[in-house]
Amino acid sequence: QVIERLKVQLAQLAPYKNIPVSQAEQQDIDRVYAKVLAEFQKPPIQPTLLILDNVDDRRFLDPALLAQYLPKGDDIDIVITTRLPRLSQGRLEWVAVDFLDIEDGQALLESIVPIPSDWDEARQNREQQAACRIAERLGGHAQALTVVGIYMRLIQENSYEAVEQYLSEQGIELINQMGSELDRQQISLDSTYTEKVIEQLLVPTLEKLKQEEPLAYQALQIAAFFPPDYVPIPWIVQRLEHDTAGLNPTQAMRSLGESQAKRALRLLVDYRFLVPNRQRTSSLVSDTVEIQLRIARIHRLYAEILKKECDADLSRELEALVWSMTNSRSQEVARDWGREDLVWEV
C-alpha cells in the first residue's frame, strides 16, 4: 500500500515533466511511474527537489524504501516534512522546524504591519523591541504571529507597544479573540491554514496526549510552571519516579531499561512537546552544537494553555511543587558543593 501511494504520487508528475500519457497508460500506474523514473535519468539532468509533505505514516521514512522507489541522482534532493518523532536510524538527516527564531518572527510581523518610517528613531526602536518581545512571547509560532499581524492590519493598529500591552494583560485569550474576529469577517491569513483560533489548533493535540499518555501529560503540566526556556528534565523525572514507585514497567520498558517516568519524558521529547536545548561551544579548532538533555524548552503557547486548563487548586499545587523542587535541589548543591558531576540545571 505504501509503495502504491508513492508510485501514484510520482506518476502525477508526468505532466510537469512533459511526458505524454495515453488513455490506456492512465489505467496502468506502474507504466506511468516507470516513464517518470526514466525521464529523471535523461540528459540534460535538471536539478530537482522532491517534497513529501506532511508524512503521517512512518513507513514512508524507511530509507531503504525511499532509495528503491524514488528517483536517484546527485542532482535530486528530497525533503520530507512530518510531525512523527525522530526515528533511530542514521541515513536521514533530521532538522527541527517547529518554531521561528525571534528575529524571523519579528520580521514576519513587520512584513505584515511595517513600522511607519516617519516616526522618530526612538519610537521606531521601541516598536521594533516590542515586536521582538511579541515574537518571543508567542514562541515563534508562525500561525499565531500571522493572526496578530493580520488583525493589526484589520483594525489599522500599527503600534506593537500597544499590542504587547494587551497581550501581557490577556495572554492566549487575546490571540483567540483576534482569530475569532478574523473568522467572523472571513479574512484570509494569506496561507494554506484555515484555523485561526490558535487554542483550537493546539488543544486537540494536548487532549490526545492526556487520554493516551496521562503520565506524560502530567509531566508536561509540571513543565508549564517552569520558565519556558529552562525546563529541568531530571527534576521532573525524579518527581514522576516518586509518584509511580509502585507501578510495574512493561516488558518493552524493561528491555530499554526505562522507568515509567523516563518513558514519559522521552515521549515528550520525541514528539517535541519538550525540545532539548542546544548549547554552542567554541574552541580554537571548531564550533560545535551540543544537545543538552538536562534542559528543555516548552512552547510558550502550550504552557499558557496548560496553565489555563488548571483550576486554582491545581495551579497552587504545581507552583508549590516547582518551588519545592528548586529548594530541595539548592540544598543538594549546597551539601555536595565541589562535586564535578553535580550540575545546577537552571
Side-chain angles (χ1 to χ4, degrees), residues 276-324:
N277 278 0
R278 285 164 169 76
Q279 190 172 42
R280 183 171 292 280
T281 57
S282 301
S283 68
L284 294 175
V285 180
S286 66
D287 241 11
T288 60
V289 175
E290 177 183 309
I291 296 179
Q292 224 183 39
L293 288 178
R294 300 177 73 85
I295 300 295
R297 299 190 311 276
I298 180 173
H299 198 286
R300 283 166 167 77
L301 291 180
Y302 273 132
E304 198 155 335
I305 292 169
L306 284 160
K307 286 182 177 180
K308 182 185 168 190
E309 292 297 311
C310 296
D311 60 27
D313 289 340
L314 182 56
S315 292
R316 283 193 292 270
E317 179 185 333
L318 292 176
E319 285 173 359
L321 176 60
V322 167
W323 280 109
S324 171

Side-chain angles (χ1 to χ4, degrees), residues 83-84 95 102 112 120 126 130 132 147 186 192 194 199 204 211 232 252 256 259-260 283 294 325 327 335:
R83 294 178 182 232
L84 294 171
V95 179
I102 301 305
I112 302 171
D120 63 70
R126 290 198 307 272
C132 180
V147 166
Q186 298 183 329
T192 56
T194 57
E199 189 171 1
Q211 293 169 13
L256 292 171
S259 64
Q260 297 268 24
S283 68
R294 300 177 73 85
M325 289 177 173
N327 290 331
R335 185 184 65 237

Side-chain angles (χ1 to χ4, degrees), residues 54-86:
N54 203 20
V55 169
D56 57 3
D57 187 330
R58 64 175 56 242
R59 291 174 295 179
F60 278 103
L61 302 178
D62 180 356
L65 182 142
L66 296 174
Q68 183 174 354
Y69 291 99
L70 290 181
K72 303 176 183 65
D74 293 336
D75 292 305
I76 298 176
D77 291 299
I78 300 168
V79 172
I80 304 170
T81 69
T82 183
R83 294 178 182 232
L84 294 171
R86 183 189 300 257

Side-chain angles (χ1 to χ4, degrees), residues 4 43 94 97 132 146 182 186 192 228 234 255:
E4 285 304 309
W94 294 75
V97 289
C132 180
T146 303
L182 295 180
Q186 298 183 329
T192 56
S255 66

